[in-house]
Every structure is written in C-alpha cells, then in structure tokens.
Amino acid sequence: MKRRLWILSAILALLIAGLTAQAQDITPIEPPADDAELAITFPPPVWTLRGAVSIRGTVDVVNLSSYVVEYRQIDLLAEDETEVEDDDDDATSEPATEMWFEATLPGNAVVVNDVLGTWNTTSVDDGLYEIRLKVTSIGGEQETFRVGPLRVANDLSAQGVEIVAVPTLFPTPTNLPGGAPEIRPSPTGLNTTDPFVTALLDANIRAGDAPSSPVVGFLLEDEEAIVLGVSTSGSGWLYIETVDGIEGFIAPSVVAFTGDFDSLAPVVPPPPLDTPTPEPTATPQTTANLQVTGLRLEPAVPQCGASFDIFVNVTNSGTGATSASGTLSVADRADRPQTITASTTGGFPVIQPGGNFVVVATLTVDTFTNESHTIIVNVDNGGAIPETNESDNSLSTSYVLGQASCG
C-alpha cells in the first residue's frame, strides 16, 4: 500500500510539473552530505527534462576505475506489473521497467558536485524515466545511485505550447573544405525509412574512419544524413550520404542513429595516407608503448538484450610515460555476416612506464543469438599518442551470444 501511494504521488507530481515546466527556476541541489562519495545532485526526482541536460553529481570513491550515467524508461501504468514483497510482507506492485542504456560517456576521474556528463534527451521518446550513476572500482565491484521518476518532454506541441517559427543561424564551421558554407534554413527531416543519423553538433565528414583522415564535408547540428554502411575496422564509424550527395565516414559519438543497425552494409575504409618522413629534431625519441594486455567479459557469456561489461586492461610497456590521455574503441561483431552489432568508446589517463589502467565499457547485443561474436578492442585508433610500436594496439575475444529472452 505504501508503494502504491508513492507511485500515485509521483504521477500527480509529474502532471503538475508538466503544467509548470516553463517556470522551473530552482538550482541543482547539494549532495546528500558533505562527505558523500556517490550521488546525483541534479536533476532531482520529479523533474521535467528536455534537450541536452547536464547531469551533476559526485564520484569520490576509493580505487575508482570508471563511472557512467545510465537511463531506463518507466511504465507506471503497465498491465504486466511485477509483484514484490515490501517490509510489511504486503503484496505491492513495482512499475515495469526497460533495460538500462548509457546516457553519458564513461568517465574515470573524481568529480565532486560537478558535471558527470550530458544526456541528449532528444534521442529518446517523451515519457517517464529513471537514471542511475553506476561506479566500477578497479577490482570490478559496482555501486549505483538512482534518481527518479523524471519526465522527458521535448514535444512542446503535445503540451499545448505554441511553436513560433524563427530563422535559425548556424555558427560558421572551421577547418572545412571550400571555405565557410552559406547560411541555410532550419534542417528538415529526410522522410525516409532507411537508417539515418542526426548531428548532435557541427561535425566533419572524413574520407576514412579516424580523426586523422582528410575532411571531405560536414554535417551541421540537427542536420540528417542517410547511413549507407558501417566501417569494417570495428571503430564504429558510420558511412553516410548527405542531402548534397557527399559521402564519407562520421564518428558515432557526434550523431544520433535511427534505424536497423543490422541492415547496414560493411564498408572497408581506405588505408591511412602516407605521410612524409619528418625531419630529425633534437627532441627525445618516443619511449611509450600502449598495449591491450587483458580483456574480460562480465558475465562471461553475454545474453541477448542484456547489457554486459567489457573490462579492458591498457598497459604502457614502454620506458616512458604516454604524452597524453587517450581513447579506445570497443565493438561487437557477429562473425557469420561480419556485421558490427554494437560499439562504444572509453578513455584512459596518462599512463606511466610499466603502469596499466582498466577501462570498463558496456554493450547490449540483441541480434544473431546462439552464434559466434567477437569483441574487438582498439586503443588510440587515431594514433594521437606517439608510441614505439603502433601495431600492437588491438585485442579481441570471442563468445556465443545466449538466447535469453530474445527467443
């Protein structure tokens, strides 16, 4: 009975919040306590979200490996509610929920009541959601902090708000071929059933699937492009075609993908361009060398439709520290059709000689059950960190995807 009253109160509060969403003016709340080690301080429960939302909080735990903010949708009115027992042994109903998805990019540094990441709520349907801060220690232990219910409301017209058309000016992109583009009206939808992407920010389109590849075009924020395929290298970069007919690769981190990923054709990226041999200088030789020396799945046998973690051990086997922090890519490939089914990225700090760092990535795979899959990890894809050996930056492992609830 207590749980039912709480749910009804939450629904009433959300309805009230929907009517007053335009008048929100309170600031993020403080952490639960001065010495809190794990907390989300903004948004608070029963809050209306739209657009890009900065998730604030605290991650100050011992032996921190990584953290990420995840979300899942809440269906308070679902007919197939799950019966659970509360502390008074009374049968109560718990809202039916969906699986967790990443709302922000993973992090690995201590944060004290500051921004944990940004959730682009336009990539999900309007409705009720719950978010959680998931922290993983170096030993693999996990802790979570949850906040909900929250209301995502990006469709203002559904709330009776009049939409007034105004001209949209775009910032002039830099470092784009052919000079600055002409100012164009607000982008319109492609009106297509093919897979497509929507740019989350002004982004370059490149000839290859790496930041070092030449720029061949650009996609402005909110513009859409048809997706023709996905890179076979495991980087997760998508091969797109714009409304102007420009084709090229774009990074998955700067776009929102819509459509059936399984239908994408594999596209072989061009080999890196030969670069002239630099003139010898008086600077010291590179002595760092990055390697992926460990790769573990948790659970060891991933199940269809259920998220699983990939623990990646990055080691500096050289005699000097890396020149900067770096990134790595993680991709799941279905072996029979050679199709990339899911991908993500992670980061690591400067690593001292002989040191290592564990990056934790999360994937969800829901196709090609009872078949062989390969997890492919590439560290420092773009070659941003000088190394003594650039050819030992990859590692892979195979597994058979369980049937689970996808049967």
Side-chain angles (χ1 to χ4, degrees):
M1 180 59 71
K2 295 177 181 177
R3 184 72 60 87
R4 289 197 179 101
L5 290 176
W6 181 88
I7 293 173
L8 291 175
S9 299
I11 295 174
L12 179 59
L14 284 169
L15 292 175
I16 296 174
L19 295 175
T20 60
Q22 294 78 19
Q24 292 177 351
D25 57 4
I26 71 170
T27 57
I29 62 174
E30 293 298 319
D34 292 338
D35 58 351
E37 297 179 349
L38 181 65
I40 294 177
T41 59
F42 183 84
V46 193
W47 190 259
T48 299
L49 312 176
R50 67 170 55 93
V53 179
S54 293
I55 309 296
R56 299 177 62 90
T58 294
V59 178
D60 189 9
V61 299
V62 178
N63 296 324
L64 171 65
S65 173
S66 67
Y67 69 85
V68 67
V69 178
E70 301 177 321
Y71 72 89
R72 66 178 178 181
Q73 192 166 18
I74 302 174
D75 186 1
L76 294 177
L77 303 179
E79 295 180 357
D80 56 344
E81 295 175 327
T82 302
E83 294 294 326
V84 299
E85 298 293 329
D86 64 9
D87 295 337
D88 298 329
D89 296 328
D90 293 330
T92 59
S93 296
E94 185 176 82
T97 56
E98 302 294 337
M99 67 181 66
W100 292 99
F101 297 95
E102 288 189 4
T104 67
L105 292 175
N108 51 42
V110 171
V111 178
V112 179
N113 196 22
D114 207 339
V115 176
L116 300 167
T118 301
W119 181 20
N120 179 23
T121 64
T122 61
S123 63
V124 301
D125 296 331
D126 285 4
L128 302 183
Y129 288 84
E130 179 182 26
I131 60 174
R132 72 176 180 183
L133 171 60
K134 183 174 72 174
V135 173
T136 304
S137 67
I138 293 178
E141 296 83 4
Q142 291 186 340
E143 297 181 78
T144 60
F145 184 96
R146 292 161 55 175
V147 172
L150 300 169
R151 183 170 180 264
V152 173
N154 286 297
D155 186 2
L156 297 179
S157 61
Q159 306 171 48
V161 178
E162 181 181 2
I163 307 298
V164 180
V166 295
T168 302
L169 298 181
F170 293 95
T172 301
T174 58
N175 300 325
L176 297 177
E182 61 180 358
I183 295 177
R184 58 182 67 183
S186 300
T188 58
L190 292 173
N191 190 26
T192 177
T193 57
D194 296 327
F196 67 92
V197 293
T198 305
L200 302 176
L201 45 82
D202 296 347
N204 288 321
I205 302 172
R206 299 184 180 273
D209 65 339
S212 58
S213 299
V215 175
V216 297
F218 55 87
L219 202 62
L220 298 179
E221 182 178 1
D222 292 334
E223 280 191 329
E224 297 175 348
I226 293 177
V227 180
L228 303 178
V230 62
S231 171
T232 58
S233 71
S235 65
W237 285 48
L238 301 170
Y239 192 75
I240 66 172
E241 180 182 4
T242 68
V243 294
D244 300 325
I246 297 175
E247 296 185 9
F249 290 91
I250 195 166
S253 59
V254 299
V255 294
F257 176 83
T258 302
D260 182 9
F261 199 94
D262 298 333
S263 66
L264 299 183
V267 179
V268 179
L273 297 177
D274 294 332
T275 55
T277 303
E279 295 293 331
T281 64
T283 56
Q285 291 185 342
T286 299
T287 55
N289 187 49
L290 290 171
Q291 291 180 292
V292 180
T293 56
L295 185 57
R296 177 173 63 87
L297 307 184
E298 181 63 39
V301 181
Q303 299 296 307
C304 179
S307 61
F308 62 97
D309 294 327
I310 302 99
F311 293 82
V312 183
N313 195 75
V314 181
T315 299
N316 178 6
S317 61
T319 58
T322 57
S323 61
S325 58
T327 60
L328 58 79
S329 66
V330 180
D332 180 278
R333 183 189 67 199
D335 294 336
R336 176 176 56 82
Q338 293 290 297
T339 297
I340 300 298
T341 63
S343 64
T344 188
T345 58
F348 55 88
V350 171
I351 303 179
Q352 298 299 318
N356 64 80
F357 185 84
V358 177
V359 179
V360 182
T362 302
L363 291 179
T364 302
V365 180
D366 55 10
T367 56
F368 301 105
T369 58
N370 296 323
E371 295 190 26
S372 174
H373 290 242
T374 299
I375 297 294
I376 304 170
V377 176
N378 292 296
V379 62
D380 191 33
N381 289 346
I385 300 176
E387 301 179 62
T388 57
N389 185 0
E390 297 283 357
S391 63
D392 58 355
N393 291 7
S394 301
L395 191 65
S396 62
T397 186
S398 297
Y399 71 94
V400 175
L401 182 64
Q403 184 83 16
S405 60
C406 295

